[in-house]
Amino acid sequence: MRRLTGVLATAAVATSLAAGAMAQDNDTRIVVVSHGQASDPFWSVVKNGVDEAQQTYGITVEYRAPDTFDMVQMAQLIDAAVASQPDGLVVSIPDPAALGDSISNAIAAGIPVVSMNSGSDVREELGILAHVGQTEFEAGEGGGKRMKEAGVTKAICVNQEVGNVALDTRCEGFKQGLGGEVEVLAVSMDPTEIQSAVKAHFAANPDTQGVLTLGPSAAEPTLQALEEDNLLGNVKLATFDLSPGVLEAIRDGKMLFAIDQQQFLQGYLPVALLTLHHKYGVMPAGTVMTGPGFVTHETAAQVIDLSAKGIR
Amino acid sequence: MARLARRHLTGLLLAAALGAVPLHGALAQGGAPRIVVVTHGQAADPYWSVVKNGVDAAAKTQGANVEYRAPDTFDMVQMAQLVDAAVASRPDGLVVSIPDADALGPSVRRATEGGIPVIVIDSGGAKLTRELGGLLYLGQSEYEAGVAAGERVKALGVTKAACLNQEVGNVSLDDRCAGFAKGLGAEVPVVAGTIDPTEMKGRVAAYLRANPGVEFLLGCGVTASEPALDAVEELQLGGQVRIGTFDLSPGVLAAIDEGKMEFGIDAQQYLMGYMPIVMLDLLARYKLQPLADYPTGPGFVTKADAASVMSLSKQGIR
C-alpha cells in the first residue's frame, strides 16, 4: 500500500484517548451536520465520539450544528457541506421533510452519507448507506418489557411533546412491550407543571404502578413529585436517556432503569465507517443499533464515572 | 457536574441483559484490551486473509492486543480446542465464526456463560448467536443478499432469470436462490451444478439452449458464474443473457470491468474482521455495548468500481 506521508497533528494526537492511532491520514475529510449543539449535554457526548474517532483515524472532521433547533439553518449547513465536496457526510435527520432535499442532493453529488441518531425510517428511501442509532419503537418496547418483568401492569408514559413523532413512537413501543394498560400523560416542558401533572394523575389514579418519562428533563421533576407524595415505594419509575441526576437516582434505587442510546457511538461509528468506506469502498448495509442499552442499579455507578468523562 | 469518587470495581458481574463484563485480563491492570479471534478460515485462504487483514488493521488503529487463531485445516475438533484455550485465557473479548453449531456451540456457550463478550462473524447466524449468549452476529444474510440481488435485476427490466447453484442442499446457497426469486418477484428455476467447472459449463449451456428466453443468470458463487460466462460466450448470447454473481475473484472482477458481468456481490468480509475489534475495544474501555446484528453485505461491485476493487483485492482488502 502506498505510504501516506503527512504532517503529524500535534494537539489531536497528544490528547488522543486511544492507545494507538493510524498514521496521519490527510486524504480523508468528513463533515458532520447535526441538529444538536455541542454545548447540549446529550450532544456533547456525540461530539466526544466524533472527536475520538477523528483522533483514532487521524483524519479531518468538521462538526456543524445550527445555533438552535432550526431546520432551515440545518438544511443550509448540509448544502454548504455538500458544496465543499467532503469524502463523507454524517447527518442526523430529526425532520425528513425539511432535510430530505438537501440529503438527496448530497447523494446525487456522489457524497457517501451515513445518518445517525434520527431518521432510521427514511434511510432506504433517501439512499443513505447506513444508519447508526436507536430506533424509538424498539427502545420503548424494551423499556415496556423491563417494566413488565418488574411486575407492572398499569403505567403512564409522560410525553412532554405530543405530536413529536419520535416521542410518540417511544410511548407506542412502551405500550407494546408492557402488554398492559398505558396512558399517555401529556405535559409541557415546564418542570413545575410536570410535577403537578404527575401528582394530579396519581391522586386520581392511585393504582398506577409504573411511569416512563421520555427524557431527564421530565424524569427529574417526576421523581421529585413521586418522592414528595411518598409514592416511590410502590411506583416504578424509568426514563429514556441519562443525566447525572437520573444516574444517581438509579444508583440509589429510586429509579428502575434508564434507556441508554449510547450516543457516543452515534458520533464515533459513522466517522469510522465513512473512513473505511473512503479508503476501501466497504460499508455495512443497514442500521447499526447503538441502543437501547439499559442502565440499572448494578451498572449505574460505573456509568456515573463514564458520564463524568463525557462518554455516556 | 460534580466529580464522584471512583468506586473500586473488582470482578463485578453486570445484569445478564447488558452482557456480563467483569474487569479481568489486561484491562484490570490498566493495559490495552486483549481480544482473541478464532475462525475456521486459514489466513492463507484468500477470503479469510481479507478478514485477518481487517482484524490486524483494527488492532493497530484501536491500539488493542489481538490474537488470531485458526485450525490448520477445516477441523472442528481442533477449532473447539482453540476456542476453549481462548476462553481459559480470559480475554476482554472473543470473536468466533461458527460453521458447525454442534461442534462449536458448547465451547462458545462456555465463553458467554463465563462472562466473556462474544461476537460471532461470517457463519452461524443471528439466531444461533442469541441462543449461545453472543452479543451480536456480523455477517451477510444470504437470503437478504439474494433479495437485494433480485431487486437489482428486476430494476434492469428482467423478468426471466435462472439461479446457478453449485451445491444444492448447502443451506447458504439455497437461501441465495430463494432470496433472489423473492426480490425479482418471479419464479426462478435453479440450475443445479457441481463445483467442477466443465460440468457446470455444460449444464448452463444445456439450460440456455432449452430456454432461449432467459435474460439473466445469477451464480451462487464464482465456481458457478465463471463457467456460466464461458457458456454464454461460446453460445454467443452475450447480448441477450446477463450474468451476476455472489462473491468476487480476479476473474469475476475482470469480467465486470469489461462489461461481461453485471455485478459481483461482496460480503465485505474485511468488515467482519475490523468492526468486532472496534466494538470489543470500545466495550472494554468505555462499557459501550454492541447491541444488535448488522449485515456487512451485500455490497454490489459494478463496472464503476471494479477496477478499484481489483486493486484493493490485490492488497487483501476486498
Side-chain angles (χ1 to χ4, degrees):
Chain A
M1 190 180 303
R2 208 163 26 109
R3 275 193 52 170
L4 295 163
T5 51
V7 176
L8 213 64
T10 49
V13 171
T15 57
S16 172
L17 293 167
M22 252 184 206
Q24 182 65 13
D25 171 2
N26 290 323
D27 291 342
T28 304
R29 185 174 73 87
I30 292 169
V31 179
V32 179
V33 182
S34 156
H35 68 277
Q37 298 75 43
S39 54
D40 171 308
F42 177 92
W43 288 98
S44 69
V45 173
V46 175
K47 176 129 196 319
N48 286 339
V50 169
D51 290 346
E52 171 136 353
Q54 182 272 315
Q55 288 163 15
T56 303
Y57 298 100
I59 59 168
T60 305
V61 183
E62 296 157 26
Y63 185 97
R64 308 251 175 280
D67 313 310
T68 58
F69 189 82
D70 179 342
M71 288 297 103
V72 172
Q73 200 190 348
M74 187 168 169
Q76 288 167 349
L77 289 171
I78 295 173
D79 294 340
V82 171
S84 78
Q85 299 189 312
D87 301 306
L89 176 66
V90 182
V91 280
S92 60
I93 315 179
D95 187 338
L99 304 173
D101 283 350
S102 298
I103 294 170
S104 297
N105 291 340
I107 292 166
I111 296 167
V113 177
V114 170
S115 55
M116 55 89 169
N117 174 267
S118 38
S120 59
D121 293 341
V122 294
R123 179 185 66 82
E124 284 188 60
E125 178 194 319
L126 289 175
I128 290 167
L129 296 176
H131 179 77
V132 180
Q134 166 179 273
T135 53
E136 306 297 358
F137 187 89
E138 279 75 13
E141 198 179 4
K145 285 182 181 160
R146 272 197 182 233
M147 272 239 184
K148 183 179 177 178
E149 278 161 25
V152 171
T153 55
K154 190 169 176 205
I156 54 171
C157 189
V158 180
N159 188 340
Q160 71 273 18
E161 226 183 339
V162 169
N164 175 327
V165 172
L167 299 186
D168 293 345
T169 308
R170 288 178 170 185
C171 284
E172 282 159 26
F174 176 60
K175 183 171 178 161
Q176 175 77 12
L178 187 75
E181 274 188 63
V182 172
E183 185 192 313
V184 173
L185 185 68
V187 297
S188 71
M189 307 239 201
D190 180 326
T192 314
E193 190 268 326
I194 293 173
Q195 279 197 51
S196 24
V198 170
K199 287 182 176 186
H201 171 86
F202 276 91
N205 302 273
D207 58 342
T208 301
Q209 302 158 319
V211 181
L212 180 73
T213 57
L214 303 182
S217 52
E220 292 182 20
T222 301
L223 175 62
Q224 202 178 340
L226 294 173
E227 264 187 308
E228 281 173 13
D229 281 9
N230 286 315
L231 291 166
L232 273 189
N234 299 322
V235 176
K236 306 268 185 272
L237 173 62
T239 187
F240 269 80
D241 300 332
L242 311 180
S243 72
V246 163
L247 289 168
E248 283 162 22
I250 298 171
R251 182 197 61 197
D252 298 341
K254 296 179 182 178
M255 282 186 70
L256 193 60
F257 61 80
I259 301 173
D260 183 8
Q261 55 179 298
Q262 303 189 117
Q263 67 269 32
F264 183 92
L265 295 173
Q266 295 173 12
Y268 190 101
L269 290 177
V271 173
L273 292 173
L274 282 169
T275 302
L276 290 178
H277 183 264
H278 180 236
K279 290 166 110 66
Y280 307 136
V282 291
M283 176 68 73
T287 296
V288 180
M289 302 271 280
T290 63
F294 293 91
V295 182
T296 62
H297 183 62
E298 286 90 354
T299 52
Q302 279 188 10
V303 178
I304 285 170
D305 195 49
L306 293 163
S307 182
K309 293 180 178 148
I311 292 167
R312 299 287 280 278
Chain B
M1 99 185 52
R3 289 219 156 232
L4 297 154
R6 184 194 281 268
R7 290 266 190 85
H8 181 57
L9 292 158
T10 37
L12 186 68
L13 262 180
L14 304 186
L18 269 187
V21 188
L23 285 179
H24 50 50
L27 203 60
Q29 285 110 48
R34 189 173 75 87
I35 298 164
V36 180
V37 180
V38 184
T39 79
H40 65 280
Q42 294 79 44
D45 173 319
Y47 176 90
W48 285 101
S49 70
V50 170
V51 176
K52 182 162 190 302
N53 286 337
V55 168
D56 291 344
K60 195 156 168 238
T61 320
Q62 306 300 119
N65 213 315
V66 183
E67 298 157 27
Y68 185 98
R69 308 246 174 284
D72 312 312
T73 56
F74 189 81
D75 178 343
M76 289 296 102
V77 172
Q78 201 191 345
M79 187 171 168
Q81 287 168 349
L82 290 172
V83 176
D84 291 338
V87 171
S89 76
R90 310 293 303 158
D92 300 297
L94 177 66
V95 184
V96 281
S97 60
I98 311 184
D100 185 333
D102 292 331
L104 301 169
S107 300
V108 175
R109 197 187 293 279
R110 272 194 286 278
T112 60
E113 284 175 356
I116 296 171
V118 174
I119 291 182
V120 181
I121 62 167
D122 174 78
S123 43
K127 188 158 173 273
L128 178 66
T129 300
R130 289 279 152 317
E131 280 165 20
L132 295 174
L135 295 177
L136 71 84
Y137 176 71
L138 206 60
Q140 170 176 268
S141 153
E142 304 300 349
Y143 183 84
E144 295 302 330
V147 171
E151 287 169 353
R152 193 170 263 257
V153 170
K154 184 176 178 181
L156 294 173
V158 166
T159 53
K160 280 188 150 62
C163 192
L164 315 175
N165 188 339
Q166 68 275 17
E167 227 182 13
V168 170
N170 175 329
V171 168
S172 297
L173 303 189
D174 294 343
D175 282 351
R176 289 174 172 184
C177 285
F180 179 59
K182 175 94 200 286
L184 186 67
E187 274 210 45
V188 174
V190 172
V191 179
T194 71
I195 57 170
D196 176 78
T198 314
E199 175 90 41
M200 179 61 87
K201 178 176 157 190
R203 294 196 190 190
V204 172
Y207 182 83
L208 290 171
R209 276 187 224 105
N211 297 273
V214 69
E215 303 160 294
F216 199 96
L217 300 173
L218 180 74
C220 283
V222 169
T223 46
S225 50
E226 286 186 3
L229 178 59
D230 287 343
V232 166
E233 288 189 323
E234 265 184 29
L235 292 172
Q236 298 189 319
L237 290 170
Q240 292 142 247
V241 182
R242 287 189 272 196
I243 301 175
T245 186
F246 272 85
D247 303 331
L248 306 179
S249 70
V252 162
L253 290 168
I256 296 171
D257 191 45
E258 289 157 28
K260 295 180 183 176
M261 279 197 197
E262 202 62 33
F263 59 75
I265 298 171
D266 186 3
Q268 301 187 114
Q269 69 270 33
Y270 186 86
L271 291 172
M272 294 183 210
Y274 197 100
M275 295 309 293
I277 305 301
V278 173
M279 292 190 289
L280 289 171
D281 177 66
L282 292 175
L283 172 62
R285 287 191 292 122
Y286 297 144
K287 308 287 180 289
L288 289 162
Q289 301 279 323
L291 286 170
D293 316 320
Y294 51 93
T296 59
F300 287 87
V301 179
T302 62
K303 192 158 196 278
D305 42 6
S308 73
V309 176
M310 270 196 273
S311 157
L312 290 165
S313 182
K314 290 192 181 111
Q315 295 169 50
I317 293 172
R318 297 290 285 274

